[in-house]
Amino acid sequence: MLIAKRTSVWRARYTVTQQGHAVAAWEGGVWRSGGQLTVAGQSFLVRGNAWGSRFVMQDKAGESVVAADRVGRKQWTVAAGGVTYQFQRASVWSQAQDLYAGGRKVGSVRKTSFWGSDVEVDLPGLPLPVQVFVLGVVVTMWEAQSAAAASASA
């Protein structure tokens, strides 16, 4: 299990730890959806489309290595290494995103508390870079939803 702790008040910047040791970092983009992640000293660029419904993770050579589709919908997918992972919003009242395999829940991405911004990533079987990519996509989705709700109430 990974714990992502927000390290900036102003930006979506997280340090990701596993058993208390830093293993990765996520830094969300300022003006567009996506960001940059670093895992074991290797950097990846994450780009999102204008609607925030599709994200692609690229390596230094610009090759797409992971893609997320239908983000923000009740059900969405992540494809990496020839495997497609199925995600689903936990409930209408929750922001948590659950990982499904064979029709049953096997993992999740959720905030550690209602008021906090730290995130628990429990995605067994997914490679570490894919787990951090999913973290970045989910955090970006949450921020977009929060911004939309704030502008709707203004």
Side-chain angles (χ1 to χ4, degrees):
M1 179 181 329
L2 304 175
I3 301 294
K5 295 195 173 284
R6 190 169 187 142
T7 59
S8 173
V9 175
W10 309 111
R11 296 188 62 185
R13 189 176 293 152
Y14 289 82
T15 297
V16 183
T17 61
Q18 187 172 38
Q19 297 177 344
H21 296 84
V23 295
W26 165 260
E27 185 169 340
V30 177
W31 298 111
R32 50 190 319 181
S33 57
Q36 183 172 348
L37 63 91
T38 306
V39 179
Q42 191 173 10
S43 294
F44 299 92
L45 182 63
V46 177
R47 295 180 182 252
N49 66 4
W51 301 275
S53 61
R54 179 168 169 68
F55 292 84
V56 176
M57 182 171 87
Q58 299 172 324
D59 61 15
K60 280 192 170 194
E63 296 293 319
S64 296
V65 291
V66 183
D69 284 307
R70 300 176 51 86
V71 176
R73 304 270 181 129
K74 181 180 177 182
Q75 297 176 336
W76 55 286
T77 60
V78 171
V83 179
T84 300
Y85 303 98
Q86 305 289 326
F87 286 86
Q88 182 174 321
R89 186 176 57 241
S91 76
V92 175
W93 301 281
S94 172
Q95 290 184 323
Q97 300 292 316
D98 293 333
L99 170 65
Y100 281 82
R104 64 182 189 70
K105 179 183 162 189
V106 295
S108 66
V109 179
R110 61 187 68 246
K111 290 187 178 184
T112 58
S113 72
F114 181 77
W115 298 108
S117 57
D118 295 348
V119 181
E120 177 183 278
V121 180
D122 184 18
L123 301 173
L126 274 70
L128 183 59
V130 177
Q131 291 186 52
V132 180
F133 170 76
V134 170
L135 163 72
V137 168
V138 170
V139 166
T140 301
M141 175 178 50
W142 288 343
E143 288 190 344
Q145 290 169 345
S146 178
S151 68
S153 66

